[in-house]
């Protein structure tokens, strides 16, 4: 039977790849993101789209109303919205401490708040039994990300997922986190990925390659399958062994 799958950040990268995998399996997909034109251009058969800033409670209320009207129940909720803040407006120059506050706020809003607000708004709509909630964390949550802000904003999703798994378990709903390493061919790094940085990231893997959006999409699809029904409150790393290093 076709499931209703809501995917935040579904217009690009990992979210888009996930949307294509679920749609190919016959599921009905709703793509969320801030840029309507990006969502509309996504080539996902039968997909619905809704543009919203998921860090804004008012926008999230709009998503919940749209979901109630168009889908009713949500079988699978995938939180792919997020990023390192690289593509967000920069802090005003000249005040170092204000710049730190800006970076941490941007990352918290992008990665933690988007996922928490959307989950809380759609919680009553999750299918029971059988519902699935899937968060996107990062290898950074285990080992830092430079400034710490991105890593912390992802790590914050881990205890939230554990609490949610306990809360929703009695309703037959699983909650898991997928934590990718370096995944190329997404908008995450903007236009530019320095060749030496790419080489270093690939060099950390055991299998000698970058991850693809499809690697993560297939893992999300598996966690959403009936066969994964006893897996909950877990963090699954998809990084070619990079967290262990060379
Ligand atoms: N690529 C990697 O190496 C990597 C590694 C580990 C983890 N991840 C995580 O995987 C997830 C997907 O990343 P990606 O690599 O596929 O990058 P991406 O192509 O930049 O995807 C991020 C998506 O999130 C959406 N988004 C951002 N802020 C939003 C907001 N406030 N409200 C609604 N939508 C929002 C963006 O669309 P709009 O700008 O139109 O809103 C975009 O479609 C992210 O959470 C990222 O942190 C990526």
């Amino acid at each position: 039977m076709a499931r209703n799958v809501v995917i935040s950040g579904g217009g690009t990268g990992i979210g888009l790849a996930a949307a294509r995998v679920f749609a190919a399996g016959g599921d009905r997909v709703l793509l969320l993101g801030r840029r309507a034109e990006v969502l509309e251009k996504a080539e996902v058969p039968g997909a619905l789209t809704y543009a919203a800033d998921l860090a804004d409670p008012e926008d999230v209320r709009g998503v919940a109303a749209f979901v109630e009207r168009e889908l009713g129940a949500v079988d699978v909720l995938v939180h792919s919205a997020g990023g390192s803040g690289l593509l967000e407006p920069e802090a005003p120059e000249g005040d170092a401490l204000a710049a730190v506050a800006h970076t941490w706020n941007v990352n918290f809003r992008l990665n933690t708040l988007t996922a928490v607000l959307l989950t809380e708004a759609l919680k009553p709509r999750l299918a029971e039994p059988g519902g699935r909630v899937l968060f996107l964390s990062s290898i950074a949550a285990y080992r830092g990300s430079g400034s710490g802000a991105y890593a912390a904003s992802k790590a914050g999703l881990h205890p939230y997922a554990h609490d949610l798994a306990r809360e929703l378990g009695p309703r037959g709903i699983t909650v898991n986190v997928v934590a990718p390493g370096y995944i190329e061919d997404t908008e995450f790094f903007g236009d530019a990925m320095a060749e030496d940085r790419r080489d270093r990231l690939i060099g950390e893997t055991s299998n000698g390659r970058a991850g693809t959006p499809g690697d993560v999409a297939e893992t999300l699809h598996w966690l959403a399958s009936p066969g994964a029904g006893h897996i909950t409150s877990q963090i699954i790393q998809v990084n070619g062994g990079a967290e262990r290093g060379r």
Side-chain angles (χ1 to χ4, degrees), residues 139 143 180-185 189 193 197-219 237-243 246:
I139 192 171
R143 57 180 205 181
Y182 169 49
I183 306 295
E184 58 186 7
D185 297 330
F189 295 98
M193 165 55 91
R197 185 177 180 200
R198 181 177 181 274
D199 291 346
R200 183 177 53 76
L201 292 171
I202 291 175
E204 289 169 352
T205 64
S206 304
N207 57 0
R209 71 166 176 87
T212 66
D215 289 324
V216 184
E218 292 292 348
T219 305
Q237 297 204 56
V238 181
N239 58 33
E243 196 236 344
R246 297 289 294 177

Side-chain angles (χ1 to χ4, degrees), residues 76 106 137 141:
V76 183
V106 163
S137 177

Side-chain angles (χ1 to χ4, degrees), residues 8-16 32-36 38-39 52-56 79-84 87-88 109-111 114 136-140 150 154 178-189 213:
S8 79
T12 67
I14 292 168
L16 178 57
L32 305 173
R34 289 169 300 184
R35 291 166 296 170
V38 169
L39 298 174
D53 180 348
L54 300 173
D56 178 341
H79 296 284
S80 195
S84 61
L87 308 176
E88 304 302 309
R109 288 175 63 80
L110 258 179
N111 294 297
T114 51
L136 263 300
S137 177
S138 169
I139 192 171
Y150 172 69
K154 288 297 192 187
V178 174
Y182 169 49
I183 306 295
E184 58 186 7
D185 297 330
T186 81
E187 292 188 356
F188 186 88
F189 295 98

